[in-house]
Amino acid sequence: MKKILSLVLALTLLFTNMLPVLAEASQSQTKISLEKAIEIAKNSFNINTEDCDFNQSYYENMEETKHWQLNWSSRKNSHGININVDAETGDVLYMNQWKNEYANPSKLAKYKKEEALKTAEELVKKLQPEKYKEMALVEDSYNESRYIYDINAYNFYFRRKVNNLDFEGNGVNVSVDKNTLEISNYNFSWNKEALPDASKAISIEKAKKNFNEKIGIELAYMIKYDQKAKKNNAKLVYTFKNGSRPIDAITGEVINYGYYDPLSDMGASNNEMMAKEAAILTPEEIKEVENTKKFITKDQALEIAKKYVKVEDKYKLEAASLYTDYNGTNASWSFSWNYNNPEKNEYAYISISIDAVTKEVRSISKYDSTTDNASKDGNPKYSLDKSKEAAEKFLSMIAPEKFAQTEYRSDIFRNSNIEKPVSYNFNFIRKVNGISCPGNNLNVTVNAYTGEITSFYSNWMDLEFPKADDMLSIDAAYEALYKNVEFKLKYIIHYDYTLKYPNNRVIKLVYAFDDFSGMLDPKTGALLDYNGEAIKDKQEMIFADIKGHWAEKDILALLEANIIEADSKEFTPDERIKQKDFIKILINSLQPYYQVMPYATGSSAEDYDEYYKQAIAKKIIAEKEKNLDAEVSRIEAAKMIVNAMNLGYLAKKSDIFDLNYKDKDKISQDNKGFAAIVSGLNIMSGKDGSFAPEDKLTKGETAATIVNFLKVEK
């Protein structure tokens, strides 16, 4: 024991004595010393490092990157700041800071986006005065990313321009706190490699021709989950046929870059005991029991599984489970076997899932030492074509009906650019009435050395497919694509994995589309968002009847915060608000990501169910108080807001509250606490010295009330 302790102590002393030497060695090899890097960091962001612990590290790699990484953390609170400084140029590459108040941001922004932009621009000019002249602010005209109120910052991207061409991935990203205008995050990236000569680029006409022929677009079914109906629906769109890859502007070839495809045993029971102790089942429980009756048993599923995978006696069944689908309409049996013999260096793993209703195989995955060892010697025995034949033969056996409804969709990169591939992957997409449905497919992986099927999965849904009536022709769709999305020259950073690191990072000049969802409306050619919905014009996002209204500012504040949406042209601010709409706005103000539907009139009762479920669960309103089309009085609004703040228990102690309103006698004893709290917190104000508890709240008054509610600091 003493010898071990002596050894540990000696090693500790050795490495402790080495640290200064390593630091000195780093400094001697860089133009920017640690001391200078600290000075640059502190001056760049005017940070106060008193009462802070400090640590630093040095980093460099084969790409000739050399960074000082500086970290300060407050001894008083959880405030921390991290800054990286280029050890050769002195450029600030990265900054991120965290403060306690970021955990509970103000729900509405104190400063407008324009004010935050000014702060961001001043910082970029300060840190990169010359390079700022070579950058341009990226306007987010497609997404129009209005802030969500529980996100702290506005984000800005200043992108590098080279001879008026965008350089993707180069420039500055800045995040500015929406309530303090402090810089919370900063990233600077600027490649130094030589750039391809833009004068040698092929014409845009040639690039478009290559895109159309080698990537292209097609009419296809996208699959979208309907929250309201609790099921998947198919929707027709025009979309990329082979993903959104750019075209090399020098060679005209497709580049494998930034690929994006918008669409791709139950134990025996004691029946006698259960009969004596049986409980009354709820409708949901009865439904689940009935569902399980249609599922095959574990033994039946195992029998099917062993028809498609070879399970040797030495393999151990390590797991067996029955899982229902997310929507409860179906289920699968899943099994996995394992074998491991370290002495012989042998191992194996098999997993398979079986549809518990249709008895079809949903997936298979397997590997073993025999197959893995085969790939270590010699050359692949199965070519791409021979492997594809094996995949098709397997699908004809395991899923013949589905396979007959598919089309092989080759990936021009997945099965290429590798000298000795271990395996090949084949994807067969579903076709319905001649139209692609990329979200449904059969996928097979074949080992190139043994010809074995090592992986299979079937993603196939029971869907209703709409008819393709009055669709744009493919030529018209291409015309709409190029009209609505700019296809242009730009520089990109590309990692060519056919080259060895660190020489695989290259700058490419490419033709590519501006960022968009990759989907077009098949009837109009208009751009769709990532949910397959029409993109609203900025002018459509503002109500036409609020200009000059006293509540205009508050209505706009709720619009900007995504608490309400202008889904109709009018807000009708002087119209009395109905309970269902008050509940909806209040729930959205509590959790904006939980928006079930936008603000709109004329919605059906069931559209509001989820909002009421949330309100009842949060005890904002009782089930017996639910009255969708009832008008909301001021005292009812006060009660719902106080309950939303979890202060209902306090409001019920009415004896501790005193009201100074002229009509306080018109407020019941049970409601005095609610009126007092909303008044004391300046959420609701009186009317000529009265609270007017039974007056009905208008939509404009609701907007002002919700804004005041969101301004309350807890």
Side-chain angles (χ1 to χ4, degrees), residues 18 23 37 192 390 411 440 493 567:
M18 285 178 64
K192 303 168 187 175
D411 187 319
N440 278 196
I493 304 167
D567 207 48

Side-chain angles (χ1 to χ4, degrees), residues 109-376:
K110 182 177 179 181
Y111 295 98
K112 293 185 178 295
K113 190 172 184 178
E114 293 73 20
E115 296 173 284
L117 174 58
K118 183 178 179 181
T119 299
E121 288 176 328
E122 289 173 351
L123 177 70
V124 181
K125 289 177 183 178
K126 173 184 175 181
L127 300 187
Q128 293 294 340
E130 293 304 315
K131 289 184 173 65
Y132 175 77
K133 300 172 185 176
E134 302 175 46
M135 296 185 236
L137 177 68
V138 176
E139 296 290 344
D140 195 6
S141 58
Y142 168 64
N143 290 302
E144 187 55 29
S145 56
R146 298 172 296 176
Y147 76 92
I148 301 296
Y149 70 59
D150 60 350
I151 293 177
N152 293 304
Y154 295 110
N155 301 300
F156 304 99
Y157 176 35
F158 300 86
R159 182 164 53 204
R160 180 182 179 184
K161 306 280 281 190
V162 181
N163 297 324
N164 208 37
L165 299 180
D166 292 344
F167 193 146
E168 295 285 356
N170 269 212
V172 174
N173 284 282
V174 185
S175 298
V176 182
D177 189 278
K178 68 183 184 182
N179 295 305
T180 66
L181 293 184
E182 290 180 315
I183 306 298
S184 58
N185 190 272
Y186 172 90
N187 278 281
F188 170 70
S189 179
W190 204 273
N191 284 74
K192 303 168 187 175
E193 297 97 323
L195 306 181
D197 186 352
S199 67
K200 297 180 180 179
I202 61 174
S203 68
I204 191 167
E205 290 76 19
K206 176 64 174 175
K208 287 181 179 179
K209 183 175 183 295
N210 288 0
F211 172 84
N212 295 355
E213 292 176 353
K214 299 179 180 182
I215 298 177
I217 60 174
E218 65 176 346
L219 185 65
Y221 289 105
M222 70 166 287
I223 300 172
K224 181 181 177 182
Y225 186 69
D226 187 331
Q227 279 279 38
K228 178 181 171 182
K230 306 296 183 186
K231 68 174 185 177
N232 286 302
N233 289 328
K235 180 177 181 177
L236 281 163
V237 299
Y238 268 107
T239 187
F240 295 125
K241 188 174 183 179
N242 288 297
S244 59
R245 294 183 171 109
I247 302 295
D248 190 308
I250 305 300
T251 67
E253 296 300 318
V254 178
I255 297 177
N256 188 21
Y257 167 89
Y259 178 81
Y260 163 65
D261 189 344
L263 312 176
S264 303
D265 164 304
M266 306 294 291
S269 57
N270 187 323
N271 293 328
E272 183 180 355
M273 182 65 71
M274 291 187 67
K276 292 179 180 179
E277 299 181 359
I280 298 174
L281 302 182
T282 67
E284 286 296 318
E285 291 165 342
I286 292 172
K287 180 181 177 182
E288 190 65 21
V289 170
E290 290 300 317
N291 279 338
T292 59
K293 290 180 181 179
K294 65 183 181 182
F295 299 155
I296 60 175
T297 66
K298 172 189 172 183
D299 289 340
Q300 289 173 316
L302 271 172
E303 184 179 351
I304 296 169
K306 291 182 179 180
K307 291 179 181 179
Y308 299 102
V309 292
K310 183 180 179 181
V311 182
E312 298 184 27
D313 293 338
K314 60 185 177 181
Y315 293 1
K316 179 182 178 181
L317 181 63
E318 65 175 11
S321 56
L322 176 66
Y323 287 107
T324 56
D325 291 346
Y326 61 89
N327 58 7
T329 59
N330 212 334
S332 293
W333 276 105
S334 294
F335 305 99
S336 60
W337 292 266
N338 185 45
Y339 167 71
N340 188 25
N341 188 333
E343 294 180 359
K344 295 183 178 181
N345 194 27
E346 293 178 347
Y347 54 85
Y349 175 82
I350 300 173
S351 69
I352 186 170
S353 64
I354 309 294
D355 190 300
V357 177
T358 67
K359 305 178 184 179
E360 295 174 315
V361 179
R362 285 189 169 187
S363 68
I364 296 173
S365 178
K366 60 182 180 178
Y367 62 84
D368 57 57
S369 51
T370 303
T371 303
D372 290 349
N373 290 333
S375 64
K376 296 177 182 178

